[in-house]
Amino acid sequence: MSDEEKKTDVAVLRAENLTKIFRDFWRRPKVKAVDGISFEIRRGEVFGVLGPNGSGKSTTLKMILGLLFPTQGSLEVLGRSPKDVGAKSRIGYLPEESYLYPYLTAEETLKFYGSLFKLSDKEIRSRTDQLLEMIGLTHARRRTVGEFSKGMARRIGLAQALVNDPDLVILDEPTSGLDPLGCRQVKDLIQTLSDRGKTVLLSSHLLADVEDVCDRIAILYNGRIQAMGSIRDLLEERHRVRLTFPELGPESMKAVLDNIRRIAGTEPDLDHPRKDLERFFLDVVAEARKQYEQHSGVSGSAGFAGFLSSDGTREKHPSKE
Amino acid sequence: MMFSRIKQFTRLAGLTAIETIRQPICLLLTVTCILFVAVLPLLLAHQLGEAGKMVRDSAFSLQFIGGLLIGSFAACSSISSEIRSGTAASILSKPVSRSLFFLAKFAGISAVMIALCTAMALACTISTRTASFAYRIDWWAASPLIALCILALFTAALTNYFWNRPFASDAFGFLIAAVIIAFVVSAFVGPDGKLTSFAAHYNLALFPVSLLITMAVLVLTAVAVSLATRLHIVPTLSLCSALLLVGLISDYLFGRHAADHAVAAFLYGIIPNWQHFWVVDALNGGGSVPWIYIGWAGLYALVYLTGVLALGIATFRVMDVRA
Ligand SMILES: Nc1ncnc2c1ncn2[C@@H]1O[C@H](COP(=O)(O)OP(=O)(O)OP(=O)(O)O)[C@@H](O)[C@H]1O
Ligand SMILES: [Mg+2]
């Protein structure tokens, strides 16, 4: 991993024996949504929480944000308790479903969220512009969010989470509702954030997304961690190797295979590598976009918001406020 | 730090107020209340000189009930619905403390309630004048009010059509403005159509009565906001209505027994006594409400308000925000 040196051993998030029991109106226990999980996320890491529906992913994230209070266990976020309001100025959160104020326009929405932080009006305006550009909704900035499609609302949700240039980004199913372009963009964005030393915690049940971006994952089932570790450690089949080379003539191919058979003593698997569907889709859309300069939904966007991709130095010292 | 808190507070409160008046239900109730007060004198003409009193009493009751309904609806739509939909979660995941969120919600809704109560007080004053003569309607008071209210709704439709502006909030704003303009216009014209000095024909003693009702409405709103952190619209509205009813007859229910039963005394003390805020009968026979009384009632309301809000904040702070 090229950005290994940026990662440090500073724990941004520490959960110990975290448990959440939902109670009913009469305070009787109803569901044990999270059951004694412990984990640690270090600075600059992209950590994925995976699991089937109802396994406790969102519940865990909401406890980290101080929206839900743990029934048991302890949590430390950026060195503070999740109840501490001050720490939130360095956190960005994309909720599972982005319900926004339906009558505000895209621009007003981002400005509103920006105004909740200690930012100057000028800064808020410039960030709003950059974020709208990044999520490809500049042309829809004056439309009310209520009439947006699901994916467009999701993009606003994502922009809203980044308006404070957070050190810890918590994304609950960031790619849900997005088209493959949006997914790719979000994944690239996560990579960019991580390269800048930001910590990203995301939940998903789309395995391909997680595999692409996460350094480490935890698989939740029924509120418990079933497996945890770095993607490489968990997935790599260390005793097998794959070779890729250009198509050879039948003669040379036979010679290569014979050699392998002779040396390794086993029959090698042979197939043509395939483009994955994502790659293919992106190629098709890129081709099509050349022909239609404009369309009504989300337009192609140019890179990332400047304030997100510039290599800030402030983030290098996470301990001070 | 302080400055950014104030900025957060004003933004949140402002947004709450705007979102509240953008609810169609809020406009519907407001239009109903104001138009009802405006046309009531026409319906009650020929009531043998009692019309003025009847208009006045109905208008004030409507201010109370309208305040209760709009306050409860607004509290639920901007708190319980936002908690359920996840909007509250997205705000509370920013550096916004729960108490600030709660108080800003209350402040935003209160601003709408104050606008509504002001309009109701003005409309009531105008309509009481309309109905103040036996067997005759003061058209110089009635027509500007009715005409301007209808014009307000029409204008909102136009701004929606031409500038794509939200109808409900525009209509609400125009309606309040219409009532104020109608009040000022009629203030200069006497029942005979001649110019008079400002407000010569209005009974200004109605305002303190309305002010007291506004205080009661704000206390009810605070109760609704506190309840809305946990409950949906139906239970909130039911509980607030029950509180209103019980508080209205609390003298009868508990007051009589307060001296010899501790429970009765406790309930008598804890349930706001709305009778303190309902002083319209003092106006009969040309009387007025003494300022010192208004001061005491204001203090009473303030104590309740503080208590209810403090309780609301205390429970909201330890509550799970389940989105
Ligand atoms: N507010 C709530 N009240 C009661 N039970 C809840 C509440 N929220 C979640 N649960 C329960 O907690 C468990 C975990 O829910 P959670 O939302 O964390 O799952 P998830 O992993 O995010 O699922 P999904 O993939 O569907 O988003 C579920 O059994 C759910 O029914
Ligand atoms: Mg979830």
Side-chain angles (χ1 to χ4, degrees):
Chain A
M1 226 153 284
S2 64
D3 47 4
E4 203 79 64
E5 63 276 10
K6 285 212 175 188
K7 298 186 173 74
T8 61
D9 283 339
V10 184
V12 166
L13 205 153
R14 191 177 286 133
E16 218 155 292
N17 191 27
L18 200 60
T19 303
K20 177 70 192 179
I21 299 175
F22 283 109
R23 295 171 187 277
D24 68 4
F25 182 79
W26 308 105
R27 318 233 3 104
R28 289 174 301 206
K30 202 167 56 174
V31 197
K32 203 169 204 177
V34 175
D35 190 359
I37 64 175
S38 306
F39 59 92
E40 212 178 81
I41 302 178
R42 287 180 289 275
R43 216 167 84 78
E45 206 168 36
V46 181
F47 191 89
V49 182
L50 275 109
N53 293 130
S55 52
K57 303 183 294 290
S58 302
T59 306
T60 307
L61 300 192
K62 284 177 198 160
M63 282 194 282
I64 292 168
L65 286 153
L67 297 170
L68 300 177
F69 298 109
T71 314
Q72 245 180 55
S74 70
L75 254 177
E76 200 186 287
V77 185
L78 295 164
R80 307 193 200 185
S81 147
K83 284 185 195 158
D84 189 332
V85 173
K88 305 237 174 96
S89 55
R90 292 169 53 207
I91 300 179
Y93 172 51
L94 170 67
E96 190 163 21
E97 306 212 16
S98 314
Y99 285 101
L100 304 152
Y101 289 101
Y103 299 102
L104 293 188
T105 63
E107 189 177 358
E108 285 166 348
T109 304
L110 293 185
K111 281 189 176 155
F112 166 70
Y113 281 109
S115 73
L116 299 178
F117 292 95
K118 240 182 284 172
L119 295 172
S120 70
D121 287 347
K122 189 162 153 271
E123 187 67 34
I124 292 175
R125 230 175 300 125
S126 110
R127 288 189 180 191
T128 301
D129 291 344
Q130 294 175 47
L131 285 168
L132 282 170
E133 181 71 32
M134 180 184 96
I135 58 172
L137 287 177
T138 304
H139 65 97
R141 61 192 301 155
R142 294 199 206 295
R143 280 174 62 192
T144 52
V145 178
E147 58 192 45
F148 276 9
S149 74
K150 184 168 181 250
M152 289 161 88
R154 196 89 188 126
R155 285 162 188 260
I156 294 286
L158 190 67
Q160 158 284 120
L162 297 173
V163 71
N164 56 327
D165 191 16
D167 293 336
L168 170 62
V169 188
I170 299 180
L171 308 169
D172 202 345
E173 300 189 13
T175 52
S176 94
L178 292 185
D179 53 26
L181 256 91
C183 291
R184 182 71 259 165
Q185 250 186 320
V186 167
K187 287 187 261 179
D188 291 345
L189 175 71
I190 292 171
Q191 202 56 60
T192 312
L193 291 172
S194 142
D195 290 347
R196 284 183 57 211
K198 310 283 185 185
T199 311
V200 182
L201 168 59
L202 60 92
S203 92
S204 184
H205 36 216
L206 298 177
L207 305 180
D209 292 351
V210 174
E211 194 178 341
D212 280 1
V213 294
C214 290
D215 302 321
R216 280 200 312 144
I217 57 168
I219 299 180
L220 278 187
Y221 185 82
N222 220 351
R224 293 176 193 227
I225 294 183
Q226 307 291 338
M228 181 158 64
S230 85
I231 290 260
R232 223 180 348 177
D233 293 347
L234 292 176
L235 299 187
E236 203 170 64
E237 298 185 65
R238 286 183 190 278
H239 51 283
R240 292 177 75 83
V241 174
R242 183 154 65 192
L243 268 175
T244 317
F245 46 83
E247 178 90 67
L248 302 174
E251 293 294 304
S252 335
M253 196 66 186
K254 188 168 178 306
V256 170
L257 289 178
D258 281 346
N259 265 325
I260 294 178
R261 279 190 200 105
R262 190 168 46 78
I263 298 167
T266 60
E267 187 64 24
D269 293 334
L270 193 64
D271 60 5
H272 288 282
R274 295 205 316 192
K275 275 189 197 174
D276 57 23
L277 186 56
E278 182 186 1
R279 197 63 260 155
F280 178 71
F281 181 94
L282 292 177
D283 290 347
V284 170
V285 172
E287 189 57 37
R289 188 186 297 140
K290 277 186 210 148
Q291 292 167 22
Y292 301 93
E293 276 308 318
Q294 213 182 358
H295 70 121
S296 60
V298 174
S299 59
S301 60
F304 303 117
F307 75 94
L308 290 177
S309 35
S310 69
D311 218 325
T313 45
R314 181 175 66 81
E315 301 74 22
K316 296 267 149 63
H317 310 285
S319 54
K320 303 236 166 48
E321 241 292 77
Chain B
M1 194 62 218
M2 198 58 212
F3 175 73
S4 70
R5 289 267 183 82
I6 292 171
K7 190 170 146 198
Q8 285 181 341
F9 184 84
T10 49
R11 286 293 157 93
L12 267 172
L15 190 58
T16 304
I18 290 173
E19 286 292 317
T20 299
I21 61 174
R22 277 172 176 170
Q23 303 284 334
I25 183 82
C26 172
L27 176 67
L28 185 73
L29 289 169
T30 309
V31 170
T32 312
C33 289
I34 291 179
L35 276 185
F36 187 76
V37 173
V39 298
L40 196 57
L42 313 185
L43 306 177
L44 290 181
H46 317 300
Q47 289 285 336
L48 294 173
E50 285 293 290
K53 190 160 164 289
M54 284 175 72
V55 167
R56 184 193 75 191
D57 289 5
S58 328
F60 285 137
S61 322
L62 207 58
Q63 185 184 343
F64 224 133
I65 307 291
L68 166 75
L69 289 178
I70 298 180
S72 307
F73 276 117
C76 289
S77 71
S78 84
I79 298 186
S80 43
S81 316
E82 277 191 21
I83 288 177
R84 256 174 307 147
S85 71
T87 318
S90 73
I91 292 175
L92 289 172
S93 64
K94 309 274 183 248
V96 174
S97 75
R98 296 222 178 165
S99 10
L100 188 135
F101 178 85
F102 184 90
L103 286 176
K105 287 285 171 194
F106 173 72
I109 298 170
S110 295
V112 176
M113 303 316 288
I114 289 171
L116 174 80
C117 286
T118 309
M120 284 299 279
L122 297 178
C124 172
T125 311
I126 299 173
S127 282
T128 309
R129 174 183 144 182
T130 308
S132 55
F133 305 100
Y135 306 113
R136 193 160 71 83
I137 287 170
D138 182 351
W139 285 107
W140 286 103
S143 27
L145 179 61
I146 298 174
L148 282 169
C149 284
I150 293 169
L151 184 69
L153 296 180
F154 190 66
T155 316
L158 288 183
T159 56
N160 176 261
Y161 183 85
F162 287 110
W163 292 291
N164 217 359
R165 294 188 44 88
F167 175 76
S169 52
D170 270 15
F172 184 90
F174 292 152
L175 204 61
I176 304 289
V179 176
I180 295 172
I181 296 171
F183 182 84
V184 174
V185 168
S186 297
F188 286 111
V189 192
D192 46 7
K194 298 217 175 69
L195 286 183
T196 62
S197 61
F198 186 75
H201 294 272
Y202 287 144
N203 179 5
L204 297 180
L206 293 172
F207 282 105
V209 179
S210 184
L211 180 64
L212 286 173
I213 296 176
T214 308
M215 294 175 189
V217 165
L218 291 182
V219 175
L220 272 175
T221 304
V223 174
V225 167
S226 302
L227 291 176
T229 57
R230 305 249 167 183
L231 302 173
H232 299 327
I233 177 69
V234 176
T236 303
L237 196 54
S238 317
L239 284 175
C240 287
S241 312
L243 187 69
L244 179 63
L245 274 182
V246 174
L248 273 176
I249 50 175
S250 121
D251 280 334
Y252 174 77
L253 282 184
F254 314 115
R256 296 185 299 166
H257 312 295
D260 26 75
H261 285 284
V263 178
F266 175 74
L267 288 173
Y268 190 58
I270 198 103
I271 293 173
N273 187 341
W274 307 117
Q275 289 296 347
H276 296 333
F277 301 101
W278 184 256
V279 293
V280 67
D281 298 324
L283 299 185
N284 290 342
S288 65
V289 187
W291 285 108
I292 184 77
Y293 181 82
I294 296 173
W296 279 114
L299 195 66
Y300 182 76
L302 197 66
V303 169
Y304 262 107
L305 208 62
T306 317
V308 172
L309 291 179
L311 235 123
I313 290 175
T315 57
F316 186 55
R317 279 168 64 98
V318 298
M319 194 187 100
D320 280 345
V321 176
R322 311 168 167 196

